[in-house]
Amino acid sequence: MPHGAFDYLREFPDEATLPPEFAAVDVPVALCFGLLRPYKGIDVLLEAWRGIEGAELWIVGAPRMDLAPLRAAAPPGVRFVPRFVVDPEVAAYFRRAALVVLPHTRVDQSGAAFAALGFAKPLLLTDVGGFPDLAATGAAVLVPPSDSAALHAELTRLLADPDALARMAAAAAAAAAGPYSWDAIARRTLEIYDQL
């Protein structure tokens, strides 16, 4: 049974806007969103970001680890938002993202991935847990976990290819409206109960 897309995040009447320093950014944005924990692969992502120009990486979420080493290792073009982002603020970050990147070293599922589906955003994920299921929809590209070179190569390729991002975004929208919609999940749940 799949987890549903978090499409409700698009519908807050009091949706917040980006802080001015973020709203002023005029280059593509790769967004890494969620609680900041060691298994999220942020250190790998920062290494992979080295040498990427003409784009920004936003790492957004409440820290559950010491960020000082990560901040010290961050190359140019990286911004941190090290705090919990409440629901009415979430949309502004996802709407601005050209790509959502979640380089987890291990995972079962990820709320940030299902938020990205809800906003029809392309995903760059690691080949762990349930992420291959998302990639099978065409909404995501997979790289091996902890492989900064492979992650760098895909970041570079995707950020330079708006057509590929548009195709992935369309696949994300279709997945959110189809197998990852709450209606479809409810139907499948009821079918299981009927069978039992």
Side-chain angles (χ1 to χ4, degrees), residues 30-86:
L31 175 65
C32 180
F33 190 93
L35 295 176
L36 307 182
R37 300 181 186 275
Y39 72 88
K40 300 287 183 82
I42 298 164
D43 54 340
V44 178
L45 177 56
L46 292 173
E47 182 61 31
W49 195 258
R50 294 192 182 286
I52 293 179
E53 298 178 351
E56 285 197 1
L57 170 62
W58 295 357
I59 299 173
V60 180
R64 297 294 187 264
M65 58 191 289
D66 182 8
L67 289 189
L70 295 175
R71 285 181 178 272
V78 177
R79 295 177 192 250
F80 286 86
V81 181
R83 62 176 179 80
F84 184 78
V85 177
V86 296

Side-chain angles (χ1 to χ4, degrees), residues 13-186:
D14 56 344
E15 182 177 310
T17 58
L18 286 172
E21 65 273 20
F22 286 80
V25 172
D26 63 355
V27 294
V29 170
L31 175 65
C32 180
F33 190 93
L35 295 176
L36 307 182
R37 300 181 186 275
Y39 72 88
K40 300 287 183 82
I42 298 164
D43 54 340
V44 178
L45 177 56
L46 292 173
E47 182 61 31
W49 195 258
R50 294 192 182 286
I52 293 179
E53 298 178 351
E56 285 197 1
L57 170 62
W58 295 357
I59 299 173
V60 180
R64 297 294 187 264
M65 58 191 289
D66 182 8
L67 289 189
L70 295 175
R71 285 181 178 272
V78 177
R79 295 177 192 250
F80 286 86
V81 181
R83 62 176 179 80
F84 184 78
V85 177
V86 296
D87 283 354
E89 296 179 282
V90 169
Y93 290 99
F94 276 93
R95 289 189 200 285
R96 182 58 184 83
L99 175 68
V100 175
V101 55
L102 303 173
H104 296 41
T105 58
R106 59 182 173 80
V107 73
D108 291 320
Q109 295 292 353
S110 165
F114 295 111
L117 276 190
F119 286 97
K121 292 298 174 177
L123 288 150
L124 176 53
L125 306 171
T126 43
D127 190 2
V128 293
F131 284 172
D133 294 334
L134 293 175
T137 69
V141 170
L142 298 175
V143 296
S146 302
D147 188 336
S148 60
L151 186 56
H152 174 87
E154 284 301 323
L155 283 165
T156 302
R157 181 182 73 82
L158 290 171
L159 290 169
D161 190 346
D163 291 338
L165 291 176
R167 287 191 300 273
M168 293 168 67
Y180 290 91
S181 73
W182 292 104
D183 286 345
I185 291 167

